[in-house]
Amino acid sequence: MAFYLEVTKLRRWPYNKLTKADQHVVARFFDSEPFFAHGWDIYHYETSSNNFYLIHFNQILEFFAQITAETGLTAFKNVSPSNVAFRIDPDSGGEPYFAGTIGSKEDFDRLKGLTLFDNGGFGSGAGSQDKIDKKLRQREKSRKNFDGWRAQVKSAISYLGFDEDAVEDNIKPVFVSVDVESHEYNHNAITEVGISILDTARLPPRDTQYTINTNDDKNHPNYLPPKNNIPTIPSSRAEEILGLVESHHFRISENRHLRNGNFVNDNADNFNFGTSEYMPLKEAPAVIANCFRHKDEHEKRRRIVLVGHDTKTDIDYLRKLGYKVTNIADLEIMDTVSMWKAVKWENQGRGLSSLLMELGLEAWNLHNAGNDAAYTLQAVIKIAEKGLTDIQPEEPDSQTTSTHKTRTIVRAEDIQIGVEDNDEEASTRPIGWKVAKEGKGKAALKPAPPSVKIPAYHNNSESEASPLSVDGDGW
């Protein structure tokens, strides 16, 4: 019979079995870098609810023999595997399968990433070759999804200049964040469109130095309290970039009488970043198109990065209004749902309110399209500032933690619009209903309107596609 031990349990071995003095002696074998550099053969085993990463006991006994030889400690001699080995579930019908050999913590993290979204290893049980091939395809698809999410974060880091050691390139796109609100009983009735714009050509130099603000700054003659996360005196690159965002809130004139409030907070009147504007439905494609049209000093079209929280939903809403944003040439898309999953090594999406809270951003009057678009762009800036880590968080002890849940794939296009995490009633609501979590009794901040200009729209025949066309700009 083959015996195995979990990687996490082996690393904790000296702290569970040895005295403090002996722990100090063997720490050099169990510290992260030397332990993972040992060159372990990792096996993967699944149950109905958990994934386990194991080491064969033959290799562990060789490791123990090395420790004994170098330290003279007897605690690692004559260890009986049967007393401490990982217990194979007799009802699972399978055995651990070889997943790969590692030589570093990074190797181990990458190996775990291959099974991060899989509901089980493809080697357990007596499944057919077709089942094995299917699981391999699913695993590869999950890996590519995760790589794509990380790529979005890396692009944001580069465009916003948070990679200080990188060589500055000439690609300076315009970020356009979009949020669309509809009537809670009729999602074909669009009521609001929020658009926030950040021109990366206006960003401060990467080597800009900042002074951390203190209470003394309140004595500065130009000091004003921060409003909507935008400080008057920035103390970091992220804070200065937040102040460069221009935000707009458009309301559809024909639908101004349609009010939410039963299932979605009615914050249509509470735009935090300026003055709301009404526009007739027939003018909506033109107004929206102008927000995506940006040229440089040589009249060359700028690259556009579309930003959203569950971006696919807002793309579909824009199409209902008559504007097909995906026809913009070289359009790049960043979705904060996916980006945060990449940052946190999670596969469960977060609602906007939850995401902002984790990023330390205060948010008022969510479910106003203008506010949501602005806060979503703020989230991208803070995610880029936070950056990525290649180190996957340690999993809890699966054999002793009954609350551990199997990871499941949640893609942005599969998430119901705006449904918050842990919403117990979500399953009973029609798809697309936005569930408000923030209370109605909170006081709303009303900052002074920023100085914002939207490129003027001229309804004339130009060589480019008509802004009133559902086919979009063709940029």
Side-chain angles (χ1 to χ4, degrees):
M1 179 179 180
F3 294 101
Y4 302 87
L5 190 66
E6 285 185 83
V7 173
T8 53
K9 285 187 177 296
L10 178 56
R11 284 205 63 197
R12 292 198 295 266
W13 184 283
Y15 309 103
N16 294 332
K17 305 289 185 180
L18 305 182
T19 65
K20 292 288 185 181
D22 289 346
Q23 289 174 20
H24 180 74
V25 173
V26 302
R28 61 188 176 94
F29 295 96
F30 291 89
D31 287 346
S32 180
E33 186 174 346
F35 177 84
F36 287 103
H38 183 75
W40 298 105
D41 294 334
I42 302 298
Y43 292 78
H44 178 250
Y45 178 73
E46 63 168 322
T47 66
S48 60
S49 60
N50 293 303
N51 289 303
F52 300 92
Y53 299 91
L54 312 173
I55 299 174
H56 196 286
F57 231 99
N58 287 346
Q59 195 174 21
I60 294 174
L61 292 177
E62 293 175 0
F63 179 57
F64 284 176
Q66 177 188 349
I67 297 174
T68 301
E70 294 188 23
T71 65
L73 294 178
T74 60
F76 295 93
K77 296 180 65 174
N78 303 320
V79 176
S80 173
S82 60
N83 294 331
V84 295
F86 177 83
R87 291 177 175 80
I88 304 298
D89 182 0
D91 297 327
S92 68
E95 290 287 331
Y97 73 92
F98 176 68
T101 300
I102 63 171
S104 66
K105 180 65 164 63
E106 289 73 20
D107 288 348
F108 185 52
D109 292 335
R110 281 192 289 271
L111 184 146
K112 290 174 70 176
L114 293 175
T115 58
L116 184 63
F117 303 104
D118 195 8
N119 287 336
F122 54 77
S124 15
S128 65
Q129 185 63 43
D130 288 342
K131 181 180 178 181
I132 293 174
D133 291 342
K134 181 179 180 180
K135 285 184 174 288
L136 282 170
R137 290 192 298 269
Q138 291 174 339
R139 176 173 298 174
E140 178 63 15
K141 183 178 180 181
S142 297
R143 185 190 63 78
K144 288 181 177 179
N145 282 343
F146 197 77
D147 288 346
W149 301 339
R150 290 176 65 85
Q152 292 181 36
V153 180
K154 291 178 180 178
S155 291
I157 292 171
S158 177
Y159 290 149
L160 297 177
F162 288 104
D163 51 347
E164 297 178 359
D165 297 332
V167 177
E168 191 162 357
D169 55 40
N170 295 321
I171 301 177
K172 299 185 183 300
V174 178
F175 283 62
V176 182
S177 176
V178 175
D179 184 80
V180 182
E181 297 285 327
S182 64
H183 189 238
E184 57 192 4
Y185 287 112
N186 179 10
H187 297 301
N188 290 318
I190 307 300
T191 56
E192 306 170 55
V193 179
I195 295 179
S196 287
I197 299 169
L198 173 63
D199 185 349
T200 61
R202 299 173 56 200
L203 296 182
R206 294 176 188 239
D207 58 356
T208 301
Q209 299 297 311
Y210 297 92
T211 302
I212 298 177
N213 291 337
T214 66
N215 291 334
D216 294 338
D217 291 323
K218 294 182 179 179
N219 298 322
H220 192 284
N222 296 328
Y223 175 82
L224 289 174
K227 294 180 179 180
N228 291 290
N229 310 310
I230 303 173
T232 303
I233 307 174
S235 61
S236 67
R237 180 180 184 83
E239 287 187 354
E240 185 167 359
I241 295 174
L242 288 175
L244 299 176
V245 175
E246 302 175 350
S247 298
H248 315 283
H249 180 224
F250 304 106
R251 300 179 64 177
I252 305 299
S253 300
E254 292 89 337
N255 295 333
R256 64 189 303 172
H257 65 287
L258 298 176
R259 309 296 300 217
N260 294 328
N262 291 318
F263 306 103
V264 180
N265 274 4
D266 182 6
N267 277 319
D269 300 326
N270 298 321
F271 181 42
N272 297 345
F273 298 87
T275 303
S276 302
E277 303 174 56
Y278 283 95
M279 62 181 178
L281 188 59
K282 66 179 181 180
E283 294 182 8
V287 173
I288 295 169
N290 286 332
C291 293
F292 284 92
R293 292 177 176 172
H294 300 271
K295 297 182 180 180
D296 61 19
E297 64 274 16
H298 305 295
E299 292 299 306
K300 184 179 179 180
R301 292 172 173 178
R302 303 277 301 282
R303 178 179 293 186
I304 301 298
V305 177
L306 174 65
V307 174
H309 188 80
D310 184 8
T311 316
K312 182 180 183 298
T313 297
D314 293 306
I315 290 174
D316 292 341
Y317 273 144
L318 291 180
R319 189 193 298 260
K320 288 182 180 181
L321 283 171
Y323 184 71
K324 189 176 181 180
V325 66
T326 52
N327 268 14
I328 296 177
D330 300 320
L331 179 70
E332 189 170 344
I333 296 177
M334 293 183 183
D335 190 326
T336 50
V337 172
S338 301
M339 294 171 75
W340 189 242
K341 288 191 284 189
V343 169
K344 299 293 286 185
W345 286 84
E346 296 177 346
N347 68 315
Q348 180 64 48
R350 303 287 186 94
L352 181 58
S353 177
S354 174
L355 170 59
L356 295 170
M357 185 179 299
E358 288 219 34
L359 288 169
L361 293 169
E362 288 190 359
W364 298 85
N365 300 316
L366 293 178
H367 300 294
N368 172 291
N371 296 339
D372 286 4
Y375 288 132
T376 299
L377 189 48
Q378 288 187 14
V380 169
I381 296 168
K382 295 296 287 185
I383 287 173
E385 179 188 42
K386 183 178 181 65
L388 288 168
T389 175
D390 291 329
I391 305 301
Q392 180 182 336
E394 291 286 348
E395 295 288 342
D397 186 348
S398 303
Q399 284 186 300
T400 59
T401 306
S402 61
T403 57
H404 180 71
K405 296 181 180 179
T406 303
R407 298 179 184 270
T408 55
I409 301 173
V410 180
R411 298 174 58 189
E413 54 264 41
D414 297 328
I415 300 174
Q416 294 184 4
I417 307 174
V419 173
E420 301 286 352
D421 300 343
N422 303 319
D423 179 10
E424 296 178 356
E425 300 178 9
S427 62
T428 64
R429 295 192 174 101
I431 292 178
W433 282 13
K434 293 193 173 182
V435 182
K437 289 290 185 182
E438 59 276 15
K440 295 184 178 181
K442 292 182 179 178
L445 296 178
K446 300 296 289 184
S451 176
V452 174
K453 293 182 179 179
I454 302 175
Y457 163 59
H458 302 286
N459 189 7
N460 51 25
S461 58
E462 301 177 348
S463 58
E464 60 191 27
S466 167
L468 294 176
S469 169
V470 72
D471 293 330
D473 294 321
W475 283 35

